[in-house]
Amino acid sequence: MEPQKQEPQQPEKPEGQAERLADKLLHGAYQVSRYVEIVLAILIIVVVAVLVVRMIADLFAGGFAALEVQNFTAFLANVLALVIGIEFVLMLCKHTPEMLIEVLAFSIARELIVDHLQTWETLIGIGGIGLLFLVRKHLLLKQTERKQLDDTF
């Protein structure tokens, strides 16, 4: 057996090195952005937890007898804002179209429930939520999930 001749390696072209460097930079930027998202998600969770504790303390300190419709509306607005914050954290952790639709639906629902809008604004909000559910059902759900959803309605 004759030893195989090895061809001398040609030096890499500068374009190949530049592409690899660009890929490494993009990957690094992606990693940094993911870590920043995680830090922000943790920060939002801490803020939501502190606000929940504070809200419960305020509720018990003021007494349930002092609750009036205006106070309840403010309480409901705060609770729904915290729910949206939690959903936003879930969206940061799980990058899916479904999570985005949920956050948008909660945001629109909060506006409809808390703000006493004009009739046409309420109808637009309801239409927006309906549109989000249509998008979710027809574009995002798998066939088996769609069948289960059809069976329930």
Side-chain angles (χ1 to χ4, degrees):
M1 284 182 122
E2 216 175 284
Q4 292 181 350
K5 293 182 183 179
Q6 292 183 349
E7 293 184 25
Q9 292 183 346
Q10 297 180 359
E12 275 192 48
K13 295 181 180 179
E15 297 91 29
Q17 291 174 346
E19 287 175 9
R20 271 199 314 226
L21 180 62
D23 287 343
K24 286 182 182 181
L25 287 174
L26 285 174
H27 180 71
Y30 176 78
Q31 293 290 17
V32 167
S33 68
R34 288 295 297 153
Y35 290 127
V36 169
E37 280 183 341
I38 291 169
V39 169
L40 288 174
I42 292 169
L43 182 64
I44 292 170
I45 289 171
V46 169
V47 168
V48 166
V50 168
L51 290 174
V52 165
V53 169
R54 196 156 142 220
M55 188 183 309
I56 291 171
D58 289 346
L59 186 64
F60 284 113
F64 289 101
L67 280 179
E68 295 178 8
V69 174
Q70 296 87 2
N71 295 342
F72 179 71
T73 302
F75 175 76
L76 191 58
N78 292 335
V79 168
L80 290 173
L82 295 176
V83 168
I84 291 170
I86 293 167
E87 288 292 326
F88 187 72
V89 168
L90 292 173
M91 186 181 72
L92 286 176
C93 295
K94 188 177 177 184
H95 296 107
T96 62
E98 290 86 2
M99 290 306 304
L100 177 63
I101 287 176
E102 280 189 36
V103 170
L104 290 173
F106 273 112
S107 298
I108 295 171
R110 180 189 181 278
E111 291 300 314
L112 292 174
I113 293 169
V114 174
D115 296 338
H116 301 288
L117 305 172
Q118 304 249 344
T119 305
W120 65 272
E121 293 171 320
T122 302
L123 286 174
I124 290 173
I126 292 169
I129 290 176
L131 182 64
L132 288 172
F133 282 124
L134 282 173
V135 166
R136 180 178 172 264
K137 179 179 178 184
H138 293 290
L139 298 179
L140 300 177
L141 291 179
K142 296 176 187 159
Q143 189 65 29
T144 56
E145 294 170 334
R146 193 175 301 133
K147 175 74 171 125
Q148 288 173 347
L149 193 60
D150 285 340
D151 290 344
T152 58
F153 291 109

